[in-house]
Amino acid sequence: KAGVTQTPRYLIKTRGQQVTLSCSPISGHRSVSWYQQTPGQGLQFLFEYFSETQRNKGNFPGRFSGRQFSNSRSEMNVSTLELGDSALYLCASSVGRGQGDTQYFGPGTRLTVL
Amino acid sequence: QKEVEQNSGPLSVPEGAIASLNCTYSDRGSQSFFWYRQYSGKSPELIMSIYSNGDKEDGRFTAQLNKASQYVSLLIRDSQPSDSATYLCAVTLTGTASKLTFGTGTRLQVTL
């Protein structure tokens, strides 16, 4: 089976712009979770989508949003970018049964905000 | 108190030795526990999951869970230089079934 794919792999944006990142889960997986990884804060949960609905949400401002399509592919959007949004954004997919689900990570999108 | 705590390291072990990585968590109701390995510049890859008290072995890796003491550990036998990476402990806290809460990771260095 193909793994989780994320596009683009690298992005450079300037403050105030917006960005959209894409994630395609492993075939048959219905849950997609997004995480932000920074050297200072480590890996932090952004949100999870299951069957096109947000099922879980982390403690990030409303500038961070996401959605999921009927084929389970997911996108996340960050509006009004700030320097602190520079990070590795990771998408993880799982079957979607909830507790105990194993999440498999994609390669990530490295976002740099100038 | 952090929800999931790990010693940041680096933990240095000689090739062939056993590396012992530890993780403690604050939520007594946590039910699912995972170990991920992350090489520099790469994304986390799953090593093991464990859900019940006791040991779970997979090749050179053994995960140990003690819910009463609220810790989970990972043992790596016959450590190899290719095991040098950051090891992340992840826990699903009570009521957050599909959300992983990560520790900050322990950097492991296996020396020749």
PDB file of all heavy atoms in Angstrom, chain A residues 1 24 54:
ATOM      1  N   LYS A   1       0.848  -1.195   0.000  1.00  0.00           N
ATOM      2  CA  LYS A   1       0.000   0.000   0.000  1.00  0.00           C
ATOM      3  C   LYS A   1       0.879   1.238   0.000  1.00  0.00           C
ATOM      4  O   LYS A   1       1.909   1.283   0.674  1.00  0.00           O
ATOM      5  CB  LYS A   1      -0.833   0.028   1.297  1.00  0.00           C
ATOM      6  CG  LYS A   1      -2.176  -0.612   1.191  1.00  0.00           C
ATOM      7  CD  LYS A   1      -2.970  -0.328   2.462  1.00  0.00           C
ATOM      8  CE  LYS A   1      -4.292  -1.059   2.402  1.00  0.00           C
ATOM      9  NZ  LYS A   1      -5.062  -0.844   3.649  1.00  0.00           N
ATOM     10  N   SER A  24      -2.990  13.164   1.448  1.00  0.00           N
ATOM     11  CA  SER A  24      -3.740  11.999   0.965  1.00  0.00           C
ATOM     12  C   SER A  24      -3.430  10.828   1.871  1.00  0.00           C
ATOM     13  O   SER A  24      -2.260  10.426   1.987  1.00  0.00           O
ATOM     14  CB  SER A  24      -3.362  11.675  -0.477  1.00  0.00           C
ATOM     15  OG  SER A  24      -3.824  12.685  -1.345  1.00  0.00           O
ATOM     16  N   GLN A  54     -14.973  17.374  11.399  1.00  0.00           N
ATOM     17  CA  GLN A  54     -13.916  17.555  12.389  1.00  0.00           C
ATOM     18  C   GLN A  54     -14.322  16.844  13.665  1.00  0.00           C
ATOM     19  O   GLN A  54     -15.310  17.197  14.300  1.00  0.00           O
ATOM     20  CB  GLN A  54     -13.698  19.054  12.657  1.00  0.00           C
ATOM     21  CG  GLN A  54     -12.472  19.329  13.524  1.00  0.00           C
ATOM     22  CD  GLN A  54     -12.248  20.805  13.765  1.00  0.00           C
ATOM     23  OE1 GLN A  54     -12.819  21.380  14.709  1.00  0.00           O
ATOM     24  NE2 GLN A  54     -11.442  21.423  12.926  1.00  0.00           N
TER      25      GLN A  54
END
